[in-house]
Amino acid sequence: MSSFYERRMTQIRKPYLVDRYFGNLYSTSAENLPLQKIQNYYKDALKEIVNQAYSKCAFYKKKMDDAGVSPANIKNISDISKLPFLTKDELRGNPWALLACDKKDVSIITVSTGTTGGEEIYIPSTWKDYILNDMTPRYPSLFPIDPGDICVDALPYEMSSAGLAFHKTFMDACLATVFAAGKGGAYSTPEKTIRTIRDLKPNILITTPSWAVTVAEAAEDIGFDLTSLKLKKMWLTGEGCSNSFRKRVEQIYGATANTYYGSLECGGIGIECDKHDGYHILQAHIMVEIVDPQTGAVLEPGEIGEIVVTSMLRFDAPLIRYRTRDLGYIEPAPCQCGVAAQRLFLRGRVVDQINLRGISFSPFYLEEFLMQFEEVGNWYQFVLKKNDPNFFKVRAELAKGFKATAELADKIGSKMEFMTGVPCQVELVEKLQRTGQKAYRVVYEE
């Protein structure tokens, strides 16, 4: 019994870096730390993480040896560019690749949602990495959750880290009340979700953009006005969306909807403030680089490239220079909201870009224009053909009160072409299928 107790105490002991730079995990704010302190923290954390990865993880040792680099070469933050990148393909189907500790110390394993295809990506976490180091130190202005708040967690719980990650953050880090609503599982139907929301009267909601709309449809069916909740905060995560789509969600719920940016592999990366002017980087948890997608060269602030993430608070399954395949840039100028943490601006995903007539578009760039049509409902698809780069069709539901006509389709198609510069067909349909999974906005047909 004593050996078990000692092992558990070892697992939950705070890393000395947390004590040194942040002190009390649950009361320290990481939003406005001086840049020099953040840089010193990054330097010390990087040294420790690289040393543990090299000495205790065969996968990382081989990668570093192949790249001709060792922990002795990592003396400053800039030395991170000497380390090799970590890619999704290296992790697929390999549950223990990142492990830098004994397997018996692993407390939980989560798996990617698999929306980009290929075999699953597994992320094992020890008690220390999972429980103590997620969303602590806190970001009180960006994530203002307090005791007494009732938080509906309408994110996937099965296999994914999404629901569980916010569940423990609401309950353990914020000492709030959490309701595990889930999203699209065997019990998490839109109808049951809206009934529980009606009964519990929560003031916090986190979900995906498409599920927010799905639940709203169920609310309409039972005559429940979502604006009556008077939500204190609402977050959208798990999927991207345009500002125009976000505004529709805000109107439905009567609340400001901020976006939380993260992934299974990286955890939290950035959170929007109410200004909706970029994602404030969770600087106590991760370090972000922007690199040229082709050459891997580190780019300067303001230059658009691939987002690369290194986790600063994961020691037992380190994540070092992970290529997210998301595009974006860093803005060092201060935000009007007063939070000092630098901002990250997203520009879509490398793999999701739509190429039309030799021009590359983000689906959310196109969505931004489409959602400005009051005649168009909340569900749509961009239809492409693999062998025809000139083919582009918008398939969309109509908003209530409008009828599908050839004239309306031509009007929408003409305005979309004017705004985007790309000719497109428009197909107006009565209803598109709801899957309960991530919304697939781009589909390919023969």
Side-chain angles (χ1 to χ4, degrees):
M1 187 70 174
S2 60
S3 62
F4 173 83
Y5 178 79
E6 290 170 358
R7 179 165 161 252
R8 178 58 79 203
M9 289 300 100
T10 299
Q11 288 179 334
I12 66 175
R13 188 176 297 125
K14 287 187 295 184
Y16 83 92
L17 283 171
V18 174
D19 273 329
R20 177 177 177 183
Y21 286 97
F22 306 112
N24 189 307
L25 280 169
Y26 298 109
S27 64
T28 301
S29 169
E31 294 175 346
N32 296 308
L33 294 174
L35 181 60
Q36 187 59 55
K37 186 172 184 179
I38 287 292
Q39 290 177 337
N40 290 339
Y41 162 62
Y42 282 166
K43 180 178 69 174
D44 289 347
L46 189 61
K47 288 179 181 179
E48 182 167 339
I49 291 164
V50 170
N51 184 68
Q52 177 140 338
Y54 189 83
S55 62
K56 296 185 178 181
C57 178
F59 171 79
Y60 273 120
K61 185 178 188 306
K62 184 178 187 307
K63 281 176 67 68
M64 292 186 207
D65 286 344
D66 290 345
V69 63
S70 72
N73 301 123
I74 309 302
K75 300 176 181 178
N76 298 295
I77 301 175
S78 59
D79 291 331
I80 194 172
S81 62
K82 299 175 182 178
L83 296 167
F85 292 113
L86 177 65
T87 67
K88 290 180 183 288
D89 287 341
E90 289 179 288
L91 300 181
R92 294 193 189 280
N94 191 353
W96 312 109
L98 301 179
L99 207 60
C101 65
D102 197 299
K103 278 187 182 181
K104 71 175 181 292
D105 292 329
V106 173
S107 295
I108 189 169
I109 300 169
T110 50
V111 66
S112 66
T113 52
T115 53
T116 56
E119 292 191 45
E120 285 73 21
I121 295 175
Y122 300 86
I123 297 295
S125 298
T126 59
W127 181 276
K128 177 180 70 178
D129 284 359
Y130 186 73
I131 299 296
L132 289 180
N133 298 333
D134 194 24
M135 285 300 293
T136 53
R138 296 184 64 188
Y139 303 85
S141 298
L142 300 172
F143 208 72
I145 310 296
D146 302 301
D149 287 335
I150 300 177
C151 311
V152 171
D153 187 347
L155 292 170
Y157 275 75
E158 306 95 334
M159 297 191 186
S160 169
S161 63
L164 287 169
F166 285 100
H167 187 115
K168 67 182 173 60
T169 297
F170 289 140
M171 188 169 65
D172 295 336
C174 304
L175 305 179
T177 304
V178 59
F179 174 66
K183 170 185 172 287
Y187 299 102
S188 302
T189 64
E191 295 76 19
K192 189 167 186 177
T193 298
I194 199 59
R195 290 198 303 271
T196 58
I197 286 176
R198 178 196 61 192
D199 296 343
L200 290 171
K201 297 179 175 58
N203 63 337
I204 302 291
L205 173 62
I206 187 164
T207 190
T208 68
S210 62
W211 193 246
V213 172
T214 301
V215 170
E217 291 174 339
E220 187 176 12
D221 289 342
I222 65 170
F224 180 68
D225 181 7
L226 286 165
T227 64
S228 67
L229 294 173
K230 301 186 184 306
L231 292 175
K232 170 184 171 182
K233 278 294 177 181
M234 179 178 187
W235 282 278
L236 302 176
T237 190
E239 300 168 353
C241 74
S242 65
N243 195 48
S244 291
F245 192 93
R246 180 232 301 275
K247 287 179 180 178
R248 292 190 175 203
V249 172
E250 290 179 328
Q251 184 175 9
I252 292 169
Y253 285 83
T256 300
N258 294 346
T259 307
Y260 183 103
Y261 170 50
S263 71
L264 164 90
E265 299 88 359
C266 308
I269 298 175
I271 309 177
E272 279 187 321
C273 65
D274 289 348
K275 297 295 183 181
H276 293 165
D277 193 20
Y279 297 88
H280 287 278
I281 296 173
L282 302 182
Q283 54 191 11
H285 292 78
I286 52 99
M287 176 179 174
V288 174
E289 302 171 84
I290 305 296
V291 306
D292 186 300
Q294 304 301 321
T295 67
V298 178
L299 302 178
E300 295 295 323
E303 293 186 290
I304 298 175
E306 184 176 357
I307 298 168
V308 174
V309 173
T310 298
S311 176
M312 295 287 105
L313 285 173
R314 275 178 33 189
F315 303 93
D316 297 324
L319 195 82
I320 302 173
R321 303 201 82 195
Y322 181 71
R323 301 188 71 148
T324 65
R325 302 171 85 178
D326 292 336
L327 298 173
Y329 68 92
I330 292 176
E331 174 55 68
C335 180
Q336 293 181 2
C337 75
V339 172
Q342 291 185 334
R343 289 167 293 155
L344 179 65
F345 288 80
L346 298 186
R347 287 297 180 264
R349 290 178 61 79
V350 175
V351 294
D352 289 343
Q353 297 298 293
I354 297 174
N355 293 302
L356 298 169
R357 297 176 181 266
I359 305 173
S360 182
F361 295 94
S362 163
F364 303 120
Y365 173 82
L366 300 174
E367 179 191 83
E368 175 67 26
F369 295 114
L370 182 63
M371 291 292 103
Q372 292 177 23
F373 292 100
E374 63 174 349
E375 301 94 337
V376 174
N378 296 322
W379 297 92
Y380 70 90
Q381 294 174 340
F382 295 134
V383 184
L384 308 175
K385 290 186 177 180
K386 293 182 179 179
N387 298 322
D388 186 355
N390 297 322
F391 182 86
F392 177 47
K393 179 195 287 186
V394 174
R395 179 181 292 142
E397 289 185 10
L398 282 170
K400 286 197 171 182
F402 294 95
K403 293 183 178 181
T405 65
E407 291 75 20
L408 179 56
D410 288 341
K411 170 190 168 183
I412 295 172
S414 296
K415 287 191 175 181
M416 282 291 291
E417 180 178 353
F418 176 76
M419 291 185 288
T420 65
V422 177
C424 73
Q425 303 175 25
V426 174
E427 177 187 355
L428 301 175
V429 299
E430 184 175 340
K431 189 170 184 177
L432 290 170
Q433 183 180 4
R434 315 291 196 257
T435 65
Q437 300 176 356
K438 278 191 177 183
Y440 289 92
R441 304 301 194 187
V442 181
V443 297
Y444 287 87
E445 296 182 348
E446 296 298 328

